[in-house]
Amino acid sequence: KGVLLFHAAGNEASNNDINDNFPNAKVADAVVKNSPEKIPTWIEVGASSKNKTLDLPANFSNFGKASVDLFSPGVDLNSTTPENTYSVYSGTSMASPCAAGVGALLLSNFSKMTAVQAKAILLNQTRKYDALLVHLPGNDILDLPIPFASLSATGGVIDAFSSIVLAKQLSKELHYQDE
């Protein structure tokens, strides 16, 4: 209750609008009979690279205009490993905690903000690349590029700075912060 849920979209270069990826944001029929309802605080995260080029979406990342909310850095990220060491990993399982960190920034700095409000800000403030053409994850690099905006609901990559700026602006109106 009252938490943001960040979920890795998957690493099969698959369209989650067509192929189910479990778990997902749909409320199970066992919980709510015949409900098409989605969990309102669930954020589905695809993996992006650092390149603002044809290779912005990670070549392995799942995608979906209806089922993936946004992209987040998930290629060649440093991670802690056993024995006080570090390794470099890639995957939507790296992208998802990166996005969760941005959510944590919002919720820790704006104590009265709800998870639903934080999700709305995160989705609204993604960095858009409307004109950017990219390779469809998993496809041959010789295939015709497609718009990056077509790969997720927001068409963007999580943006911590813009999210904090908007939350700060809204905090006066919506009383996100303690007075």
Side-chain angles (χ1 to χ4, degrees), residues 15 19 24 28 50 56 66 77 87 112 123 133 165:
N15 185 340
N19 304 305
N24 61 40
K50 64 181 178 181
L56 179 59
L77 299 181
S87 292
K112 293 184 180 179
L123 298 186
L133 296 176
V165 167

PDB file of all heavy atoms in Angstrom, residues 15 19 24 28 50 56 66 77 87 112 123 133 165:
ATOM      1  N   ASN A  15       7.929  -7.911 -27.821  1.00  0.00           N
ATOM      2  CA  ASN A  15       6.874  -6.925 -27.665  1.00  0.00           C
ATOM      3  C   ASN A  15       5.915  -7.409 -26.576  1.00  0.00           C
ATOM      4  O   ASN A  15       5.140  -8.344 -26.802  1.00  0.00           O
ATOM      5  CB  ASN A  15       6.144  -6.720 -28.997  1.00  0.00           C
ATOM      6  CG  ASN A  15       5.123  -5.612 -28.929  1.00  0.00           C
ATOM      7  OD1 ASN A  15       4.668  -5.217 -27.867  1.00  0.00           O
ATOM      8  ND2 ASN A  15       4.751  -5.108 -30.092  1.00  0.00           N
ATOM      9  N   ASN A  19       3.249 -10.474 -26.375  1.00  0.00           N
ATOM     10  CA  ASN A  19       3.690 -11.612 -25.566  1.00  0.00           C
ATOM     11  C   ASN A  19       3.676 -11.227 -24.097  1.00  0.00           C
ATOM     12  O   ASN A  19       4.299 -10.249 -23.705  1.00  0.00           O
ATOM     13  CB  ASN A  19       5.111 -12.026 -25.974  1.00  0.00           C
ATOM     14  CG  ASN A  19       5.207 -12.329 -27.445  1.00  0.00           C
ATOM     15  OD1 ASN A  19       4.472 -13.156 -27.955  1.00  0.00           O
ATOM     16  ND2 ASN A  19       6.097 -11.639 -28.141  1.00  0.00           N
ATOM     17  N   ASN A  24       2.946  -9.068 -14.192  1.00  0.00           N
ATOM     18  CA  ASN A  24       2.647  -7.804 -14.859  1.00  0.00           C
ATOM     19  C   ASN A  24       1.637  -7.006 -14.032  1.00  0.00           C
ATOM     20  O   ASN A  24       1.226  -7.444 -12.966  1.00  0.00           O
ATOM     21  CB  ASN A  24       2.187  -8.024 -16.305  1.00  0.00           C
ATOM     22  CG  ASN A  24       0.935  -8.850 -16.392  1.00  0.00           C
ATOM     23  OD1 ASN A  24       0.015  -8.703 -15.600  1.00  0.00           O
ATOM     24  ND2 ASN A  24       0.893  -9.751 -17.379  1.00  0.00           N
ATOM     25  N   ALA A  28      -4.991  -9.884 -11.063  1.00  0.00           N
ATOM     26  CA  ALA A  28      -5.398 -11.249 -11.372  1.00  0.00           C
ATOM     27  C   ALA A  28      -6.888 -11.443 -11.148  1.00  0.00           C
ATOM     28  O   ALA A  28      -7.472 -10.891 -10.220  1.00  0.00           O
ATOM     29  CB  ALA A  28      -4.610 -12.234 -10.503  1.00  0.00           C
ATOM     30  N   LYS A  50      23.333   4.366 -23.239  1.00  0.00           N
ATOM     31  CA  LYS A  50      23.722   5.774 -23.080  1.00  0.00           C
ATOM     32  C   LYS A  50      23.740   6.502 -24.421  1.00  0.00           C
ATOM     33  O   LYS A  50      23.881   7.710 -24.468  1.00  0.00           O
ATOM     34  CB  LYS A  50      25.086   5.874 -22.408  1.00  0.00           C
ATOM     35  CG  LYS A  50      26.212   5.284 -23.241  1.00  0.00           C
ATOM     36  CD  LYS A  50      27.539   5.374 -22.538  1.00  0.00           C
ATOM     37  CE  LYS A  50      28.623   4.739 -23.387  1.00  0.00           C
ATOM     38  NZ  LYS A  50      29.911   4.772 -22.743  1.00  0.00           N
ATOM     39  N   LEU A  56      19.692   3.527 -28.924  1.00  0.00           N
ATOM     40  CA  LEU A  56      19.168   3.971 -27.619  1.00  0.00           C
ATOM     41  C   LEU A  56      18.445   2.850 -26.881  1.00  0.00           C
ATOM     42  O   LEU A  56      18.765   2.590 -25.720  1.00  0.00           O
ATOM     43  CB  LEU A  56      18.274   5.202 -27.766  1.00  0.00           C
ATOM     44  CG  LEU A  56      17.656   5.719 -26.463  1.00  0.00           C
ATOM     45  CD1 LEU A  56      18.732   6.100 -25.446  1.00  0.00           C
ATOM     46  CD2 LEU A  56      16.744   6.906 -26.727  1.00  0.00           C
ATOM     47  N   ALA A  66       1.826  -0.157 -25.198  1.00  0.00           N
ATOM     48  CA  ALA A  66       0.777  -0.206 -24.176  1.00  0.00           C
ATOM     49  C   ALA A  66       1.263  -0.785 -22.849  1.00  0.00           C
ATOM     50  O   ALA A  66       0.703  -0.464 -21.798  1.00  0.00           O
ATOM     51  CB  ALA A  66      -0.407  -1.030 -24.684  1.00  0.00           C
ATOM     52  N   LEU A  77      26.112  -1.175 -16.685  1.00  0.00           N
ATOM     53  CA  LEU A  77      26.075  -0.481 -15.395  1.00  0.00           C
ATOM     54  C   LEU A  77      26.934  -1.209 -14.380  1.00  0.00           C
ATOM     55  O   LEU A  77      26.935  -2.445 -14.315  1.00  0.00           O
ATOM     56  CB  LEU A  77      24.635  -0.399 -14.871  1.00  0.00           C
ATOM     57  CG  LEU A  77      23.643   0.360 -15.739  1.00  0.00           C
ATOM     58  CD1 LEU A  77      22.276   0.377 -15.070  1.00  0.00           C
ATOM     59  CD2 LEU A  77      24.108   1.765 -16.038  1.00  0.00           C
ATOM     60  N   SER A  87      31.211  -5.435 -10.764  1.00  0.00           N
ATOM     61  CA  SER A  87      31.128  -5.994 -12.106  1.00  0.00           C
ATOM     62  C   SER A  87      30.187  -5.125 -12.925  1.00  0.00           C
ATOM     63  O   SER A  87      29.392  -4.373 -12.379  1.00  0.00           O
ATOM     64  CB  SER A  87      30.601  -7.432 -12.070  1.00  0.00           C
ATOM     65  OG  SER A  87      31.531  -8.281 -11.458  1.00  0.00           O
ATOM     66  N   LYS A 112       4.736  14.170   1.502  1.00  0.00           N
ATOM     67  CA  LYS A 112       3.280  14.018   1.413  1.00  0.00           C
ATOM     68  C   LYS A 112       2.817  13.544   0.037  1.00  0.00           C
ATOM     69  O   LYS A 112       1.628  13.390  -0.199  1.00  0.00           O
ATOM     70  CB  LYS A 112       2.594  15.332   1.779  1.00  0.00           C
ATOM     71  CG  LYS A 112       2.787  15.701   3.243  1.00  0.00           C
ATOM     72  CD  LYS A 112       2.024  16.943   3.600  1.00  0.00           C
ATOM     73  CE  LYS A 112       2.240  17.272   5.079  1.00  0.00           C
ATOM     74  NZ  LYS A 112       1.525  18.504   5.444  1.00  0.00           N
ATOM     75  N   LEU A 123       6.194   9.525 -15.210  1.00  0.00           N
ATOM     76  CA  LEU A 123       5.774   9.236 -16.579  1.00  0.00           C
ATOM     77  C   LEU A 123       5.661  10.515 -17.404  1.00  0.00           C
ATOM     78  O   LEU A 123       5.995  10.530 -18.585  1.00  0.00           O
ATOM     79  CB  LEU A 123       4.455   8.472 -16.594  1.00  0.00           C
ATOM     80  CG  LEU A 123       4.449   7.096 -15.918  1.00  0.00           C
ATOM     81  CD1 LEU A 123       3.116   6.402 -16.134  1.00  0.00           C
ATOM     82  CD2 LEU A 123       5.588   6.227 -16.376  1.00  0.00           C
ATOM     83  N   LEU A 133      15.010   7.953 -34.605  1.00  0.00           N
ATOM     84  CA  LEU A 133      14.749   6.635 -35.165  1.00  0.00           C
ATOM     85  C   LEU A 133      15.760   5.659 -34.587  1.00  0.00           C
ATOM     86  O   LEU A 133      16.940   5.991 -34.448  1.00  0.00           O
ATOM     87  CB  LEU A 133      14.842   6.665 -36.691  1.00  0.00           C
ATOM     88  CG  LEU A 133      13.808   7.542 -37.390  1.00  0.00           C
ATOM     89  CD1 LEU A 133      14.054   7.563 -38.898  1.00  0.00           C
ATOM     90  CD2 LEU A 133      12.395   7.086 -37.078  1.00  0.00           C
ATOM     91  N   VAL A 165      12.161  18.805 -10.590  1.00  0.00           N
ATOM     92  CA  VAL A 165      11.751  20.186 -10.876  1.00  0.00           C
ATOM     93  C   VAL A 165      10.225  20.290 -10.866  1.00  0.00           C
ATOM     94  O   VAL A 165       9.658  21.196 -10.251  1.00  0.00           O
ATOM     95  CB  VAL A 165      12.342  20.684 -12.210  1.00  0.00           C
ATOM     96  CG1 VAL A 165      11.684  21.974 -12.666  1.00  0.00           C
ATOM     97  CG2 VAL A 165      13.849  20.874 -12.084  1.00  0.00           C
TER      98      VAL A 165
END
